[in-house]
Amino acid sequence: MAQQPASKRFFYLLTAAMTLFCSEVSANASAQDVHELADICMYSQRVLKDYALVGMGVMYHNPKKDIEENIKTIGKYFKDIESHKLNDKLMAEVVEVEKTWNEIKPEFEKAPDKAKMSELRKKVEAYTVRCEQVAEDLAKDTGIKGEHDVVLVAELGLESQRLAALYLMKAWGVADAEYEKEVSQVVDETERIYQELLAADEKLVSKEVKAKLQTTEKDFIAFSVMAKSKSGRFMPSAAEENASKIFEALREILVMEQKLVEGSVSGYFTPVADEKDAGLFDKFTVIVRNKEEEKA
C-alpha cells in the first residue's frame, strides 16, 4: 500500500486531535458556567429580600424593578448554561435547580403577600442550598485550581442578602420563632467563609483581594449587629443600604478573584488535564480563544 504524504497524515492527525479536543472540552463546565450559576444563587436571595421591601412599601433602590431585572437575569443564565455541552450528570443537576426555581418564581411575579413570606423563604432557602452545591460541582469540573474560591466569594454575596432578607422579614412583622438562631447561623457561616479565604494561598486569593475582603467583613459584622439587635426598632432602608453596599463590594472582589484564578482561560474552554496533550493543542487553543473573544 502506498504511504500517504506526510502533509496528509498530519492533516488527518490534526483533524482527529481537534475533534477529540473539542468533544473533551465541551463536556466540561467552563468558568462562565460557574459565574452564571453562582450569580443565580445570589440573585435568588436578593429577590427574596426585595420582595420584603416591596411588601413594606420601602422604595430604596427601587426593589420592584430589581426583582424584575434579576428574574430576567436568572432565566438568561439558565439558558446560557444549558446551551453549553455539560456532561449528563452536571446538566441534570442544573436542570433540577432550574425546575425548583421555576416553581418558586411565580410568587415573585405577584404582589407581595405577607402571609406567604415565611413559607416562601423556606422554599428559597432549600433552593439556594442546592444551588450552591451545584455551583461547587461545576467549579470542580472546570479543572481550574482556585475556582472553589470564586464560589466562596459568591457565597459571601449570597449570605449578605440572606441576612438582609431575614432582617426585613422580621421588620415586616412576619413571625419567625427561629429568627435569632437563623441569624447566628448566617453570621457563623459567613465568618467561616471569610476565614477560609483569608487563609488561602496568595496565588489563589491575592493580598489585594484579602484586603478588600477584610473591609467587607467589617461591614458585614456591623450589619449583623443591627440584625441581632433586640431593641424592637427596625430600619429597613438602612438595612437595604448596608446590604447593597456589601453586595456591590463583593461583586467587585468576585471579578478580581475570577481574573486571578482564571487568568487567560477562555470562558468556554478549560485547561486540558493532561500536560502532554496541553502542549499538542497550545496553538489550537489560542486560535479558538481568539475567535471567541472576537465574538464577545
Side-chain angles (χ1 to χ4, degrees), residues 262-274:
E262 291 156 12
S264 61
V265 176
S266 165
Y268 290 98
F269 292 86
T270 57
V272 180
D274 192 328

Side-chain angles (χ1 to χ4, degrees), residues 8-24:
K8 283 192 176 181
R9 292 202 308 274
F10 176 77
F11 173 77
Y12 293 143
L13 176 62
L14 181 60
T15 301
M18 287 169 64
T19 302
L20 175 63
F21 175 80
C22 290
S23 61
E24 178 66 24

Side-chain angles (χ1 to χ4, degrees), residues 109 180 272:
E109 295 173 325
E180 291 182 13
V272 180

Side-chain angles (χ1 to χ4, degrees), residues 40 43 47 64-80 101 105 109:
I40 286 170
Y43 287 139
V47 167
K64 187 177 186 298
K65 182 181 177 182
D66 285 347
I67 289 175
E68 293 169 354
E69 290 181 349
N70 288 331
I71 286 175
K72 287 180 182 178
T73 299
I74 290 172
K76 177 184 179 299
Y77 284 174
F78 271 126
K79 286 182 179 179
D80 284 349
W101 168 251
K105 182 178 69 170
E109 295 173 325

Side-chain angles (χ1 to χ4, degrees), residues 1-5 9:
M1 181 182 293
Q3 189 174 14
Q4 293 177 327
R9 292 202 308 274

Side-chain angles (χ1 to χ4, degrees), residues 83-289:
S83 71
H84 304 159
K85 294 186 180 297
L86 299 174
N87 63 49
D88 291 345
K89 178 180 178 297
L90 288 176
M91 186 61 77
E93 288 185 287
V94 172
V95 170
E96 172 202 339
V97 173
E98 183 183 23
K99 181 181 177 182
T100 304
W101 168 251
N102 285 336
E103 291 171 356
I104 299 170
K105 182 178 69 170
E107 291 302 321
F108 290 126
E109 295 173 325
K110 302 174 185 175
D113 186 338
K114 189 174 180 180
K116 294 182 177 180
M117 180 72 192
S118 185
E119 188 60 31
L120 182 57
R121 180 182 168 271
K122 289 177 183 177
K123 291 179 180 179
V124 172
E125 280 298 304
Y127 161 80
T128 50
V129 168
R130 181 58 181 144
C131 189
E132 287 177 310
Q133 292 170 347
V134 178
E136 282 284 6
D137 288 345
L138 289 173
K140 289 177 184 176
D141 196 67
T142 62
I144 301 172
K145 191 174 183 181
E147 201 66 28
H148 166 68
D149 298 304
V150 169
V151 173
L152 286 182
V153 176
E155 287 181 8
L156 287 177
L158 184 151
E159 294 298 339
S160 70
Q161 302 308 289
R162 178 179 269 145
L163 183 62
L166 273 168
Y167 177 85
L168 292 168
M169 191 171 98
K170 188 172 180 65
W172 196 12
V174 178
D176 190 343
E178 299 292 311
Y179 175 79
E180 291 182 13
K181 178 182 176 181
E182 289 170 340
V183 167
S184 293
Q185 288 174 341
V186 172
V187 171
D188 290 347
E189 177 62 10
T190 301
E191 185 57 25
R192 182 196 68 75
I193 296 171
Y194 271 117
Q195 292 309 309
E196 182 175 345
L197 288 168
L198 294 173
D201 188 323
E202 288 184 358
K203 291 179 181 178
L204 301 178
V205 183
S206 67
K207 287 182 179 179
E208 292 77 13
V209 168
K210 289 182 179 181
K212 288 183 177 295
L213 283 171
Q214 287 174 325
T215 298
T216 61
E217 182 182 21
K218 290 176 183 176
D219 290 337
F220 181 84
I221 290 171
F223 182 35
S224 69
V225 170
M226 177 189 292
K228 290 179 178 179
S229 173
K230 297 180 180 180
S231 68
R233 296 175 57 199
F234 296 99
M235 297 180 288
S237 292
E240 164 60 0
E241 183 178 6
N242 288 337
S244 290
K245 175 186 175 183
I246 295 167
F247 183 78
E248 294 304 326
L250 286 167
R251 297 289 298 167
E252 293 177 7
I253 295 170
L254 185 58
V255 172
M256 291 175 64
E257 181 63 15
Q258 289 166 353
K259 290 180 179 178
L260 175 67
V261 303
E262 291 156 12
S264 61
V265 176
S266 165
Y268 290 98
F269 292 86
T270 57
V272 180
D274 192 328
E275 290 183 5
K276 69 179 188 300
D277 290 337
L280 175 63
F281 297 119
D282 275 348
K283 291 184 179 179
F284 175 68
T285 304
V286 170
I287 293 170
V288 173
R289 185 178 299 141

